[in-house]
Amino acid sequence: MERRARWANLTENERAKLKAAHQKAMEDPAVRAAHDKLRQARREFREVMRPALLKADPSIQSILDKLRAERPGRD
């Protein structure tokens, strides 16, 4: 949500330039490797956090299920 607000403050030209620079940067092997590490760390965090949340308050199961349903294609 915060990211959307920041992007909304940019012009179309600024967004296009930033997107092009991002795509080019993602071609860098070091950036790709760091991105892969980030994705893995996020996955590991979710695998630990969800059970911890449910242990702290089992009644939030339906809330977590609702959030998961709103993000199709995400694990």
Side-chain angles (χ1 to χ4, degrees):
M1 206 178 262
E2 196 175 300
R3 185 183 311 160
R4 287 183 193 163
R6 291 187 309 218
W7 276 80
N9 291 330
L10 301 177
T11 66
E12 284 296 321
N13 186 48
E14 290 170 329
R15 275 181 252 168
K17 287 177 78 170
L18 190 55
K19 183 177 180 180
H22 183 272
Q23 289 172 336
K24 186 167 178 94
M26 288 301 292
E27 295 172 7
D28 182 311
V31 173
R32 290 197 70 81
H35 184 250
D36 290 344
K37 286 181 186 178
L38 174 63
R39 289 176 58 203
Q40 180 63 31
R42 285 180 176 159
R43 188 174 300 116
E44 291 171 6
F45 176 76
R46 286 190 308 270
E47 289 171 0
V48 173
M49 180 55 105
R50 185 178 178 92
L53 288 168
L54 291 170
K55 183 178 179 182
D57 185 351
S59 72
I60 67 167
Q61 177 71 57
S62 62
I63 298 168
L64 295 176
D65 292 342
K66 182 178 179 180
L67 290 172
R68 182 175 272 175
E70 291 176 3
R71 297 184 75 177
R74 300 281 180 134
D75 46 302

